[in-house]
Amino acid sequence: MSITRRNLLASVGAGAIVMAAPLRSAWAQSKAEFSYKYANNLPLTHPMNIRAKEMADAIQTETAGRVEIRIFPSSQLGSDTDMLSQVRNGGVEFFTLSGLILATLVPASSITGIGFAFSDYDAVWKALDGDLGAHVRKEIAKSNLVPMEKIWDNGFRQITSSIKPIQSADDLRGFKIRVPVSPLWTSMFKAFDSAPASINFNEVYSALQTKVVDGQENPLAIIDTAKLNEVQKFCSITNHMWDGFWFLANKRAWERLPENMRAIVAKNINAAGMKERADVAAMNAGLQKGLTEKGMVFNQTKPDSFRDRLRQGGFYTEWKGKLGEEAWSMLERYSGKLS
Ligand code: X2X
C-alpha cells in the first residue's frame, strides 16, 4: 500500500500520535532495496491482477524482501498511451500492453493480431512461445524495453453493441465502434467499412454509456470484469482476432536488479502468466452463460463473411507489405495461407 497525499495530510492534521502509523509504514516500504511499480489497464478482478498479486508476494518472499512490486490496476496511473511513455522513461518499471498498441512504437508487434490468423489457443501458444513470439520480442528489445518471455493472455475478441447484433460483415458497415489506439485495429475496421474511433480502454465504459460509439470489441473476460454488459446489449461471437499482453520492463530498471534477483522476478512473472492464461481461457469459455444471465443477448457468426471482406478489401496484402515477407511467412506457418 502506498501512502497517498490525502491520508498523509489527514494524519498530519490529526496530530503526532496518529501520525506515527503512516510514518512506520513508509519506513517499512523503503526497506525494499528495489521498490518497483507495475501498471496495467484492467480491473482488480481480472485474472491478470489476481495472478500478479500472487506473483508480487512470491517475489517478495523469494528475494527476502529486497524486491517489492506494487501493482497499479485499472489505468490508475493513466491511459495505455500514458503508461507506455512512463515505462519507457522509467516512471513505472513494469507495464502490460497489447502488442497491437505497442505497435505505435514497435511496428513488428502488430503481427499477432492479424484478423482470423489463429483458429484456436493451440495455434496461439505454439506461435507465441515459438519463433513468432521470439521475433516480436527481439523487435521490442530494440526499443529500450525488456519483454518477459511468456506473453499473457487477453483472449479471442468478440463484438458488442448497444444497437444491433453483428451477424455478418455487412452489419459492420458504418458501425461506430471503439478500437484501441493502434494502427492495426483501425485498419482492420476500416477494411470492414466501419467507423472506428481510437479510444484508450480507461475511457471505453463512458464512451459506450454516452453513445459516443455504439460498440466495441473485447474478450468475454474483459466484458465481464469491466462490466461493459451494463452499457452494451448484444454480444456477437466473432473471434475476429486474438490479443495478448506483453509484460514489459523498463530496461534501466531491469538492469539495475542484480542478476539473481532478475532471475527470481522473471521466473515468477512467467509462471504467473502461465496461470493467467489458464484462468482467462476458462473464463472466456464459460462466460457466455453468466453474461446471458446478466441480460446480454448472444449470437454466433461464421468467420467466412468477415474473412472474405478483409481479403477483398486488400487488408492481408497491405499488412503483408507492412510486416515483411519473412515475418508474414512465419505467421502463415501457424495460420495457413492468409493473403
Ligand atoms: O483496450 C482494450 O480493449 C484491451 C483491454 O483489450 C486492451 O488492453 C487491448
Side-chain angles (χ1 to χ4, degrees):
M1 268 277 289
S2 53
I3 297 178
T4 63
R5 194 175 130 80
R6 206 203 291 147
N7 69 28
L8 189 64
L9 287 178
S11 57
V12 170
I17 296 168
V18 188
M19 207 173 121
L23 280 185
R24 209 167 29 239
S25 74
W27 173 81
Q29 198 180 300
S30 67
K31 237 181 22 174
E33 222 170 301
F34 304 94
S35 180
Y36 281 7
K37 298 193 197 79
Y38 160 42
N40 67 68
N41 65 354
L42 294 188
L44 259 184
T45 47
H46 189 278
M48 172 189 277
N49 280 307
I50 295 168
R51 294 304 183 179
K53 173 73 175 68
E54 291 172 7
M55 166 199 98
D57 291 346
I59 289 170
Q60 192 147 24
T61 308
E62 288 178 36
T63 62
R66 288 179 68 191
V67 181
E68 172 194 56
I69 296 180
R70 289 184 297 148
I71 304 168
F72 296 82
S74 297
S75 305
Q76 275 174 20
L77 301 182
S79 70
D80 276 339
T81 309
D82 299 329
M83 291 188 283
L84 177 57
S85 347
Q86 289 169 32
V87 76
R88 291 185 72 197
N89 67 28
V92 301
E93 289 80 9
F94 295 108
F95 174 40
T96 32
L97 183 64
S98 162
L100 318 192
I101 302 177
L102 179 59
T104 54
L105 176 69
V106 182
S109 72
S110 281
I111 195 156
T112 54
I114 297 295
F116 300 98
F118 300 114
S119 51
D120 54 30
Y121 271 122
D122 218 41
V124 168
W125 302 133
K126 270 200 193 109
L128 271 292
D129 291 337
D131 57 356
L132 192 73
H135 159 71
V136 175
R137 288 197 301 280
K138 205 171 107 208
E139 293 298 315
I140 297 173
K142 293 178 185 164
S143 67
N144 263 342
L145 292 170
V146 179
M148 296 295 119
E149 196 182 328
K150 299 291 180 186
I151 191 169
W152 291 38
D153 190 24
N154 188 351
F156 284 91
R157 300 177 76 95
Q158 324 299 349
I159 301 177
T160 67
S161 158
S162 57
I163 54 171
K164 62 176 184 186
I166 303 300
Q167 313 272 11
S168 73
D170 284 342
D171 295 319
L172 288 174
R173 261 210 192 103
F175 185 56
K176 283 199 281 176
I177 183 169
R178 171 271 172 173
V179 293
V181 181
S182 144
L184 177 69
W185 253 298
T186 304
S187 150
M188 193 159 136
F189 281 88
K190 280 200 173 141
F192 286 128
D193 273 332
S194 306
S198 303
I199 298 173
N200 273 304
F201 189 66
N202 59 332
E203 288 172 1
V204 168
Y205 187 100
S206 74
L208 294 167
Q209 190 173 38
T210 58
K211 302 275 167 67
V212 169
V213 285
D214 294 324
Q216 65 85 46
E217 43 81 62
N218 251 305
L220 299 188
I222 289 196
I223 296 168
D224 188 62
T225 55
K227 300 187 167 50
L228 300 184
N229 56 293
E230 293 175 355
V231 286
Q232 294 281 270
K233 178 75 183 167
F234 302 99
C235 184
S236 306
I237 301 297
T238 50
N239 289 307
H240 55 277
M241 69 210 284
W242 173 83
D243 184 41
F245 296 100
W246 289 109
F247 207 109
L248 306 168
N250 170 274
K251 189 160 184 236
R252 268 165 294 135
W254 184 248
E255 288 175 353
R256 250 192 332 267
L257 293 175
E259 213 167 289
N260 57 339
M261 299 287 128
R262 241 182 275 165
I264 293 172
V265 173
K267 178 194 77 178
N268 280 291
I269 293 177
N270 290 325
M274 295 304 283
K275 292 182 193 156
E276 188 264 3
R277 288 181 185 182
D279 296 343
V280 169
M283 267 182 105
N284 284 337
L287 262 172
Q288 184 167 332
K289 186 164 174 284
L291 285 165
T292 303
E293 281 160 14
K294 290 180 188 170
M296 282 201 112
V297 177
F298 280 80
N299 69 286
Q300 301 295 319
T301 66
K302 293 202 183 78
D304 287 0
S305 84
F306 299 98
R307 204 187 278 136
D308 291 350
R309 188 65 49 86
L310 290 180
R311 207 168 276 142
Q312 286 153 15
F315 171 81
Y316 293 114
T317 315
E318 181 192 335
W319 281 89
K320 181 180 179 176
K322 284 191 173 139
L323 294 163
E325 291 277 348
E326 206 183 323
W328 196 259
S329 61
M330 215 184 266
L331 176 66
E332 284 190 332
R333 281 219 314 283
Y334 301 97
S335 64
K337 190 111 187 78
L338 290 167
S339 49

